[in-house]
């Protein structure tokens, strides 16, 4: 079917669009690959590239043919693992007691290699065509649409975002999470409505879906679709959901120069300079309609939707700097995208930097998938200057050991940003706030006492946090935080053994890196940090435990940490030739003095022949 000048539609398991330039072509989606048998019908000798809108099998099931034909394959960055690493996804996806309702199983049966990820929010050349890639979540979390000028018209290839004149191909696909909260089960419905609105901002003359007929009046079709989606959304909510406000006015004013993004998870704060630039405190999941079920990469997607409003409403030309309060994904997931699209520099406290830059080295929860490069490492306890602001950088252990508080003055108000250290909903006479500790985040018994003392020293008027509204700070509130911090410490000391002190986390050893990749026959270097749980110097004997046939050098070492102190040892582990396997386990067996504590730490080693693996690059570069 001829769509327009040098644009054709081939009917397959989905519509495959053939974009011709001379005797070469670029394809949008691939279906079964049968289009390769019909290139003569379109006057095409060779396909150079195929651009995929989303990972579903009807779009990609024939991609092995594209690989065999030497065609470059470009895929949405969030869904790359569901195409080139889908074997691992099938191997690890839970099936028992499964509450993940996303259609991530509607993926390739066998993985295929890809050339790279498309460059979201940017125009790049793919073959002979200049293509702008717009994130359009809805049908899947990672779906994208492609916009390009062809024959004097702006065409939008939208995948399954919309079907024909105002319908969707599947409502089941838009259900990203099991029921629970007010938005649960409707995340993709809301995302579809928002994506359609953002698509119209690019003024396409025609929408070309993966199923259904071309949409020749995009505004009318989107209006019909959004009206129906809104009614469906509101049928499951106590209050109507004002989706347009999420795009038009996502920023709430805390002070004239300090804004809070009410559409993000976790909350992002923008500090505005009179020079027309902004600094962001945290930047995780913007424009969230609810997080999808599951924990793999395809369930977590950063966006940049709030930046348009910063420019339009608040006169901000550029986001210059982003600061993390801590390393958790909901606070840093968007940092790399900010850097790639906006040129934003990442400044990080010195205790957070190592986790951002090498996440696979650490045995911690809530790690982002990719390394995040840090442009400026900030010493703790020293202020940093950005534009007209002096910002204090303070160690803030508690929620996690790798966290910082920031203190600054905005419009005459002393402000402290605390990340997720504690809730900020306390009121006199009501239940005390929750001090937000999780042991695996490396919580220590006295951390909240220390943070309360820091707050008293800083004496802020406003406290801003990661998931709760800003609050005015009173002396009573600061006193309460200190009392609660002391109570938490007292209860831990009353509950834990007195003769053995492994602090709150309860372990006597840790292996770094936690996740590694090594080729057969090669040697891996591991560092082991051990703790002496006794009040006086004791000998700690550390024995490396490795799989049968592997070798550790040395096999065993002794060290004498001070009472309550730590020491680090280095071991070399050699993998024999012919080995293979993901997540092979190594451990250390710890004895301190006369007490044997057993295998106190483990680490995971993937033996690989040089292919992409957990220890290597988890996501390739964007675009061309």
């Amino acid at each position: 079917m001829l769509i327009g000048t040098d644009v054709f539609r081939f009917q397959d398991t989905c519509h495959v669009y053939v974009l011709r330039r001379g005797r070469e072509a670029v394809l949008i989606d691939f279906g079964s690959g049968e289009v390769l048998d019909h290139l003569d019908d379109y006057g095409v000798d060779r396909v150079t590239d195929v651009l995929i809108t989303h990972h579903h099998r009807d779009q990609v099931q024939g991609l092995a043919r594209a690989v065999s034909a030497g065609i470059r394959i470009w895929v949405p960055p969030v869904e790359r693992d569901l195409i080139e690493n889908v074997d691992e996804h099938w191997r690890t996806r839970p099936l028992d007691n499964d509450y993940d309702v996303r259609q991530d199983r509607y993926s390739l049966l066998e993985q295929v290699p890809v050339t790279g990820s498309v460059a979201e929010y940017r125009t790049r050349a793919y073959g002979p065509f200049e293509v702008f890639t717009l994130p359009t979540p809805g049908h899947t979390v990672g779906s994208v649409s492609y916009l390009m000028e062809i024959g004097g018209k702006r065409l939008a290839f939208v995948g399954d975002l919309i079907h024909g004149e105002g319908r969707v191909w599947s409502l089941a696909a838009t259900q990203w999470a099991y029921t629970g909260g007010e938005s649960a089960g409707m995340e993709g419905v809301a995302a579809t409505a928002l994506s359609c609105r953002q698509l119209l901002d690019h003024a396409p003359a025609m929408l070309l879906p993966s199923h259904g007929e071309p949409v020749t009046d995009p505004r009318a079709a989107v209006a019909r679709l959004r009206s129906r989606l809104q009614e469906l959304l509101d049928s499951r909510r106590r209050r109507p959901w004002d989706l347009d406000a999420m795009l038009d006015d996502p920023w709430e004013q805390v002070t004239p120069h300090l804004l809070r993004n009410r559409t993000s998870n976790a909350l992002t704060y923008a500090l505005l300079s009179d020079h027309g630039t902004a600094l962001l405190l945290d930047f995780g999941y913007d424009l969230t309609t609810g997080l999808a079920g599951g924990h793999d990469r395809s369930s977590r997607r950063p966006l940049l939707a709030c930046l348009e409003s910063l420019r339009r409403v608040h006169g901000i030309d550029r986001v210059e700097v982003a600061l993390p309060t801590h390393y958790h994904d909901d606070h840093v997931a968007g940092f790399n995208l900010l850097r790639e699209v906006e040129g934003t520099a990442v400044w990080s406290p010195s205790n957070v930097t190592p986790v951002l830059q090498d996440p696979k080295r650490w045995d911690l929860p809530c790690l982002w998938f990719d390394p995040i490069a840090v442009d400026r490492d900030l010493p703790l306890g020293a202020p940093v200057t950005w534009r007209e602001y002096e910002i204090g950088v303070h160690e803030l252990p508690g929620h996690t050991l790798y966290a910082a508080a920031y203190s600054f003055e905005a419009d005459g108000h002393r402000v402290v940003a605390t990340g997720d250290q504690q809730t900020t909903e306390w009121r006199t006479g009501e239940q005390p706030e929750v001090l937000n500790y999780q042991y695996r985040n490396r919580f220590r018994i006295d951390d909240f006492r220390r943070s309360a003392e820091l707050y008293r020293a800083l004496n802020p008027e406003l406290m801003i946090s990661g998931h709760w509204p800003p609050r005015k700070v009173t002396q009573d509130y600061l006193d309460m935080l200190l009392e609660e911090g002391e109570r938490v410490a007292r209860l831990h000391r009353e509950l834990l053994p007195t003769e053995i002190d492994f602090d709150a986390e309860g372990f006597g050893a840790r292996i770094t890196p936690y996740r590694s990749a090594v080729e057969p026959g090669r040697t891996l270097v591991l560092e082991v940090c051990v703790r002496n749980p006794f009040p006086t110097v004791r000998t700690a004997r550390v024995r490396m435990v490795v799989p049968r046939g592997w070798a550790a050098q040395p096999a065993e070492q002794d060290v004498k940490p001070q009472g309550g102190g730590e020491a680090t040892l280095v071991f070399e582990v050699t993998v024999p030739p012919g080995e293979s396997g993901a997540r092979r386990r190594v451990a250390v067996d710890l004895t301190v003095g006369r007490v044997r504590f057993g295998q106190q730490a483990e680490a995971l080693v993937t033996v690989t022949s040089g292919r992409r693996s957990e220890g290597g690059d988890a996501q390739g570069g964007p675009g061309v």
Side-chain angles (χ1 to χ4, degrees):
M1 175 181 179
L2 177 66
I3 300 296
T5 304
D6 288 330
V7 180
F8 306 90
R9 189 183 77 187
F10 179 78
Q11 184 71 42
D12 197 1
T13 55
C14 69
H15 296 328
V16 177
Y17 292 96
V18 181
L19 315 181
R20 185 178 65 188
R21 183 69 53 85
R23 302 291 297 183
E24 294 185 336
V26 170
L27 306 180
I28 306 295
D29 289 321
F30 198 67
S32 73
E34 187 181 342
V35 65
L36 298 185
D37 301 324
H38 297 269
L39 296 182
D40 287 346
D41 297 347
Y42 307 113
V44 169
D45 296 328
R46 186 171 79 98
V47 173
T48 62
D49 300 80
V50 57
L51 306 181
I52 300 301
T53 60
H54 61 287
H55 73 90
H56 281 168
R57 271 201 300 276
D58 54 346
Q59 317 294 124
V60 299
Q61 66 186 57
L63 276 184
R65 287 196 65 182
V67 174
S68 298
I71 299 170
R72 294 185 292 260
I73 300 170
W74 306 94
V75 299
V78 173
E79 296 184 346
R80 182 169 178 171
D81 277 349
L82 290 179
I83 294 174
E84 77 167 1
N85 203 31
V86 76
D87 292 359
E88 181 70 6
H89 186 76
W90 283 115
R91 189 183 71 82
T92 59
R93 195 206 193 279
L95 298 176
D96 297 316
N97 199 29
D98 176 18
Y99 284 80
D100 186 352
V101 297
R102 279 186 309 138
Q103 290 187 352
D104 56 310
R105 289 182 293 175
Y106 193 25
S107 299
L108 281 172
L109 303 182
E110 303 288 343
Q111 63 195 33
V112 297
V114 305
T115 307
S117 302
V118 291
E120 295 183 316
Y121 295 106
R122 285 155 287 171
T123 299
R124 291 287 187 271
Y126 301 93
F129 292 94
E130 294 288 324
V131 182
F132 180 83
T133 301
L134 179 69
T136 49
H139 185 71
T140 70
V141 176
S143 294
V144 300
S145 294
Y146 299 112
L147 293 108
M148 60 191 81
E149 302 284 341
I150 300 178
K153 290 184 178 181
R154 180 170 297 172
L155 304 182
F157 299 88
V158 298
D160 282 324
L161 178 69
I162 191 171
H163 173 72
E165 300 293 335
R167 298 176 184 267
V168 293
W169 179 241
S170 169
L171 280 172
T174 66
Q175 189 170 57
W176 295 352
Y178 209 80
T179 54
E182 199 173 17
S183 64
M186 305 298 282
E187 303 83 6
V189 171
T192 297
L194 289 166
S195 292
C196 285
R197 157 82 188 270
Q198 292 172 89
L199 184 64
L200 289 184
D201 291 341
H202 292 266
M206 183 182 293
L207 309 183
L208 297 169
S210 289
H211 298 88
E213 294 306 305
V215 176
T216 56
D217 188 346
R219 292 201 171 274
V222 167
R224 283 193 292 272
L225 176 60
R226 293 194 70 208
S227 174
R228 295 161 180 165
L229 293 175
Q230 187 73 52
E231 184 176 358
L232 182 62
L233 278 172
D234 292 344
S235 72
R236 295 186 60 170
R237 293 175 60 88
R238 291 186 294 273
R239 299 173 300 278
W241 197 344
D242 189 352
L243 295 175
D244 283 330
M246 296 178 69
L247 288 171
D248 293 334
D249 190 22
W251 297 97
E252 293 178 342
Q253 189 179 94
V254 181
T255 75
H257 287 80
L258 180 63
L259 310 178
R260 179 181 77 146
N261 181 358
R262 62 189 179 85
T263 75
S264 60
N265 183 6
L267 295 173
T268 292
Y269 286 85
L271 188 59
L272 309 184
S273 167
D274 289 332
H275 295 85
T277 57
L279 176 149
L280 298 184
L281 293 168
D282 291 331
F283 195 75
Y285 303 116
D286 182 30
L287 196 67
T288 181
T289 58
L291 295 180
H295 302 283
D296 62 304
R297 187 184 194 93
S298 65
S299 68
R300 297 291 179 266
R301 183 177 201 174
L303 298 166
L304 300 179
C306 68
L307 302 189
E308 191 278 331
S309 176
L310 271 184
R311 298 185 179 97
R312 175 175 46 82
V313 179
H314 301 283
I316 295 302
D317 297 324
R318 180 168 171 253
V319 176
E320 281 191 324
V321 174
L323 292 176
T325 57
H326 57 293
Y327 70 88
H328 284 172
D329 65 301
D330 57 333
H331 294 256
V332 302
F335 275 30
N336 283 337
L337 193 59
L338 273 176
R339 182 201 308 281
E340 293 164 5
V341 178
E342 291 285 305
T344 302
V346 174
W347 296 0
S348 173
S350 59
N351 64 332
V352 181
T353 296
V355 186
L356 295 184
Q357 295 194 140
D358 193 3
K360 290 178 173 56
R361 186 175 179 84
W362 301 82
D363 177 16
L364 292 167
C366 312
L367 291 164
W368 182 237
F369 299 95
D370 299 328
I372 297 172
V374 171
D375 301 286
R376 184 172 178 182
D377 190 59
L378 307 179
L380 295 167
V384 61
T385 299
W386 173 74
R387 295 295 184 175
E388 62 265 41
Y389 297 95
E390 183 176 272
I391 302 172
V393 184
H394 312 276
E395 186 176 15
L396 192 70
H399 178 58
T400 172
L401 186 60
Y402 310 102
Y406 300 106
S407 59
F408 54 91
E409 187 171 298
D411 302 301
H413 297 280
R414 296 186 307 278
V415 182
V416 62
T418 65
D420 292 349
Q421 186 75 349
Q422 69 278 319
T423 63
T424 58
E425 298 172 349
W426 174 80
R427 298 291 184 270
T428 301
E430 296 183 4
Q431 183 73 19
E433 286 191 1
V434 174
L435 303 185
N436 189 17
Y437 61 87
Q438 283 80 31
Y439 295 103
R440 197 172 156 222
N441 278 336
R442 306 290 305 277
F443 163 63
R444 300 172 303 183
I445 289 174
D446 289 304
D447 281 347
F448 284 96
R449 177 184 59 78
R450 296 188 185 103
S451 65
E453 290 171 345
L454 171 67
Y455 299 155
R456 289 162 74 94
L458 295 175
N459 192 28
E461 298 170 77
L462 287 173
M463 184 175 287
I464 57 177
S465 62
H467 297 274
W468 304 277
R471 65 160 299 120
K472 292 183 178 180
V473 178
T474 64
Q475 189 60 49
D476 285 346
Y477 180 70
L478 296 179
D479 291 344
M480 181 275 296
L481 289 180
L482 181 59
E483 291 170 5
E484 286 301 301
E486 290 174 339
R487 181 165 74 141
V488 165
R490 173 181 59 80
L491 287 170
H492 276 75
R493 290 196 166 91
E494 290 175 352
L495 288 165
L496 291 171
T498 56
E499 69 278 10
I500 300 291
D501 181 11
F502 281 136
D503 209 274
E505 198 175 358
F507 285 98
R510 186 174 298 276
I511 302 175
T512 303
Y514 186 70
R515 287 181 283 176
S516 303
V518 64
E519 294 182 14
R522 304 297 291 272
T523 296
L524 181 70
V525 177
L526 299 175
E527 293 181 357
V528 178
C529 179
V530 296
R531 177 182 173 91
N532 176 5
F534 299 105
T536 58
V537 176
R538 301 283 178 94
T539 297
R541 177 158 294 174
V542 183
R543 180 172 60 87
M544 181 63 66
V545 181
V546 297
R548 186 184 302 273
W550 294 27
Q553 181 62 38
E556 188 173 279
Q557 296 188 62
D558 289 350
V559 68
K560 290 186 176 182
Q562 296 294 317
E566 296 181 346
T568 299
L569 301 169
V570 176
F571 291 83
E572 293 185 350
V573 174
T574 301
V575 179
E579 286 286 295
S580 64
R583 299 188 181 180
R584 302 292 298 274
R585 278 76 63 196
V586 301
V588 290
D589 197 294
L590 176 66
T591 300
V592 184
R594 296 182 177 180
V595 181
R596 184 175 180 184
F597 295 101
Q599 296 178 4
Q600 280 285 296
E602 88 285 341
L604 306 178
V605 180
T606 293
V607 184
T608 173
S609 57
R611 295 173 299 158
R612 214 183 96 186
S613 65
E614 284 191 297
D617 178 19
Q619 188 79 2
V624 177

